[in-house]
Amino acid sequence: MDHTLAADLGRLPELLEAVRRAAADSLDGLDARPVVPPPPAQPPRPEPLPEDGAGAEAALTAFRRRWEPRLSASAGSRYLGFVTGGATPAALAGDWLTAVHDQNSNSALDGGGQDLERETTGWLRDLFGLGPAHSGTFVSGATMSNTTGLAIAREWLGERLGVSPAEDGAAALGPVRVLSGAPHSSIAKALSLLGLGRSALVPVPTLPGREAVDPAALDRALADTPGPAVVVANAGTVNTVDFDDLRAVAALKERHDFWLHTDAAFGAFAALSPHHAHLVDGLDASDSVCVDLHKWLNVPYDSAVQFTRRPDLQTRVFRNAAAYLGPLGADPDLVHLTPENSHRLRALAAWFTLRAYGRTGHREIVERDVACARALGAELERDPAFRLLAPVRLNVVLFTLTGEPDPDRLTARLTALREAAAGEVFTTPTVHAGTPALRAAFSNWRTTQADVHRAAEALRGAAAQTAVKGTA
Ligand SMILES: *Cc1c(COP(=O)(O)O)cnc(C)c1O
């Protein structure tokens, strides 16, 4: 054994203790360090590959010196960009132990990990109010969950048309139409990957002033579609967190032949809150459902779940026949259910946090984040420098600056504002109905009203700065 490696093995407990101290120190400092540090004046020069290593503790020191200061406080309470969760204490523990046990939990030949994963997807199904006809599998993120759901949809189209895209290729289907109101960008990416093509996506009009699909327009679009189709329903859009009326969409199945995939990446968490559960009424009627876990469940990256009512079609797409894996059987191994073969015991972090805090604990996180989003919305609304572009429906505040009619200058001012505030609060840019804007999305378990005030102060201060610069 290499002598440095042997030395690390000899003092593994002390080494883990050093890592534990470093981790505690980093988490302790989350609140004080810049939410997103400014980029360095000089672009970093990559160091050459070390010929001789100096051991794990020296690597830890080098990481803390060179790289850690560059990393954002994305695990902290005022990183409000994208839709970003943190890691609950239990989720972090589960993730550490995932690496400790280093399982490749995908077959019954060594079945402990996959049984744990199945227990966890069962819990998640209950958490989101899905019925027993849905079975779930872990994937790396909502993009992969959407891709997996649409791959099953593709095979369903084949079943309807008497062909198998899994065997004969997507071309066997002929032209395919995927109808959706305000789909996430990952849907087009999935269609590209699946050989259906980005142009298969047919936009359907949304309700006036909304991002929710107009059910009557969807009805007409389905009537105009020759043959079976795919509908992507959206439960929580990223700009305005709008929800399609899932019951109304599912009811169209009485008149039209389509697969219903619902992208509920973070919107599914509305089910945890009695005040908001109505937003996802009817989710269970979907044929496939996407939910991200590294967002609002607050498990570390990378984790999401994919639910479907048709695991038989799922195995047709993803089966990985190999002599050493044996026959598929009635309850196929995980290796036959997702794009990956080998994968980490991704379920463990979710298992830990659900076991530790239960439905009640996770409901509290969701409700507190929603209350924080409302509070920030109210603070910005009171300030004449800001304008909300949509009501705060759930956990996202979509806002812009007032008094800047020129879109290019508005974009420049928003960029300046975002950068000036980034040490205190991180938001991400967007464009909504042609208007440049910023989004603040609340999904971290640590965030409190004190963070909302701090974020609002930082945004107000940065807005005042850009106003001064703008008129100078
Ligand atoms: C975040 C998100 C996705 C993509 O999720 P990744 O985890 O980044 O792959 C898809 N759909 C919606 C609605 C999202 O919010």
Side-chain angles (χ1 to χ4, degrees):
M1 192 184 285
D2 172 85
H3 70 274
T4 327
L5 186 58
D8 273 0
L9 175 59
R11 53 186 298 273
L12 192 54
E14 296 99 282
L15 201 53
L16 292 178
E17 189 52 35
V19 175
R20 186 201 64 73
R21 277 197 307 273
D25 189 44
S26 301
L27 292 172
D28 233 25
L30 264 185
D31 213 37
R33 73 171 203 255
V35 177
V36 173
Q42 299 278 340
R45 258 202 304 171
E47 285 183 351
L49 167 72
E51 278 312 320
D52 295 303
E57 198 146 8
L60 176 63
T61 306
F63 165 72
R64 298 209 74 193
R65 182 175 49 78
R66 282 192 67 219
W67 290 109
E68 198 174 86
R70 288 283 314 283
L71 301 184
S72 66
S74 147
S77 54
R78 276 167 288 105
Y79 189 96
L80 307 180
F82 311 103
V83 181
T84 307
T88 64
L92 179 61
D95 206 65
W96 279 11
L97 294 174
T98 302
V100 167
H101 293 285
D102 194 22
Q103 303 284 292
N104 185 8
S105 47
N106 65 12
S107 105
L109 294 174
D110 173 8
Q114 81 170 11
D115 289 345
L116 183 148
E117 181 164 331
R118 285 180 176 140
E119 176 168 282
T120 314
T121 52
W123 290 355
L124 290 164
R125 180 176 62 195
D126 288 351
L127 191 72
F128 301 125
L130 298 172
H134 278 281
S135 58
T137 359
F138 272 84
V139 287
S140 59
T143 300
M144 215 18 105
S145 177
N146 279 329
T147 303
T148 303
L150 291 171
I152 304 168
R154 188 183 64 180
E155 201 58 22
W156 175 85
L157 289 171
E159 185 180 74
R160 282 302 207 245
L161 299 169
V163 295
S164 172
E167 300 307 316
D168 305 320
L173 293 174
V176 166
R177 283 196 201 176
V178 179
L179 310 173
S180 191
H184 186 266
S185 51
S186 61
I187 297 295
K189 180 171 178 168
L191 295 175
S192 160
L193 183 65
L194 292 169
L196 299 174
R198 295 177 198 268
S199 65
L201 196 53
V202 180
V204 179
T206 54
L207 294 168
R210 298 269 307 271
E211 287 187 312
V213 76
D214 176 352
L218 181 59
D219 190 8
R220 287 192 296 275
L222 283 162
D224 287 347
T225 303
V230 176
V231 171
V232 174
N234 301 295
T237 56
V238 290
N239 273 351
T240 67
V241 196
D242 214 340
F243 288 75
D244 290 355
D245 180 340
L246 299 177
R247 281 201 191 289
V249 171
L252 295 174
K253 281 199 170 193
E254 282 168 22
R255 289 207 298 287
H256 308 285
D257 195 23
F258 63 92
W259 177 273
L260 177 55
H261 173 80
T262 302
D263 181 355
F266 64 95
F269 286 84
L272 276 67
S273 160
H275 288 303
H276 301 97
H278 65 276
L279 294 169
V280 286
D281 265 357
L283 182 65
D284 182 60
S286 314
D287 298 297
S288 52
V289 177
C290 154
V291 188
D292 229 334
L293 302 176
H294 52 222
K295 289 177 180 165
W296 227 347
L297 191 67
N298 279 271
V299 297
Y301 290 100
D302 37 20
S303 186
V305 63
Q306 202 288 312
F307 293 103
T308 184
R309 290 173 168 275
R310 293 294 305 272
D312 58 320
L313 296 177
Q314 186 174 12
T315 48
R316 257 196 246 165
V317 179
F318 295 108
R319 79 191 161 83
N320 189 73
Y324 65 92
L325 291 170
L328 256 58
D331 197 8
D333 288 341
L334 300 183
V335 71
H336 303 300
L337 295 175
T338 66
E340 296 163 315
N341 278 357
S342 299
H343 69 279
R344 71 205 301 263
L345 184 51
R346 188 172 281 129
L348 189 55
W351 185 93
F352 254 84
T353 198
L354 291 171
R355 184 74 174 74
Y357 313 119
R359 194 195 295 270
T360 312
H362 280 276
R363 171 189 303 154
E364 191 277 330
I365 295 173
V366 167
E367 292 186 331
R368 177 157 40 85
D369 282 334
V370 172
C372 285
R374 292 249 153 85
L376 182 68
E379 289 223 28
L380 297 184
E381 219 165 14
R382 276 198 297 275
D383 187 324
F386 295 101
R387 182 162 69 91
L388 298 195
L389 293 184
V392 180
R393 288 199 180 86
L394 200 66
N395 61 330
V396 174
V397 186
L398 179 71
F399 62 98
T400 193
L401 287 165
T402 52
E404 186 55 84
D406 179 73
D408 292 337
R409 279 209 299 271
L410 179 55
T411 302
R413 277 189 61 196
L414 289 170
T415 304
L417 185 159
R418 194 166 53 72
E419 288 172 359
E424 280 287 286
V425 57
F426 180 67
T427 56
T428 41
T430 189
V431 176
H432 178 65
T435 304
L438 297 178
R439 296 171 57 256
F442 290 79
S443 35
N444 190 293
W445 66 281
R446 290 175 179 266
T447 310
T448 64
Q449 294 288 339
D451 293 301
V452 172
H453 295 307
R454 221 170 130 178
E457 279 297 296
L459 292 170
R460 277 194 286 264
Q465 265 183 43
T466 67
V468 171
K469 278 197 192 129
T471 53

